[in-house]
Amino acid sequence: MNLFRIAKAIIVFSLLSYLSISFLRNYNSLENIEKRCILKFEKDFKNQLGTSYEEWNQILDLADNNYLKCMGIPQY
């Protein structure tokens, strides 16, 4: 009976390890990072009525910089 508990504990630990590694790989894939960054900064790219050209360019520059920072791309 004791051997059965040890085997069950090893199986549960192995399964949890495999699932957590699989989740982290999927969560940190480039496609998922890009999707999260796009959703996070999508609202910055919507043009609001009544904004001037200079103000709109500043909004786009800020959103672009935030997107690059979110993606982990170094800026010069």
Side-chain angles (χ1 to χ4, degrees), residues 35-49 51 55-56 58-60 62-64 66-67 70:
K35 285 178 189 177
R36 285 193 308 269
C37 290
I38 287 173
L39 288 175
K40 187 175 181 181
F41 297 106
E42 192 175 46
K43 65 180 185 293
D44 293 342
F45 288 107
K46 293 181 181 174
N47 190 357
Q48 300 172 358
L49 296 176
T51 56
E55 186 179 357
W56 179 241
Q58 288 177 347
I59 291 170
L60 287 179
L62 180 64
D64 189 42
N66 288 338
Y67 176 76
C70 178

Side-chain angles (χ1 to χ4, degrees), residues 18-32:
Y18 173 75
L19 289 175
S20 61
I21 289 171
S22 176
F23 171 77
L24 289 174
R25 249 189 218 162
N26 186 33
Y27 186 78
N28 290 329
S29 71
L30 290 176
E31 293 172 0
N32 288 334

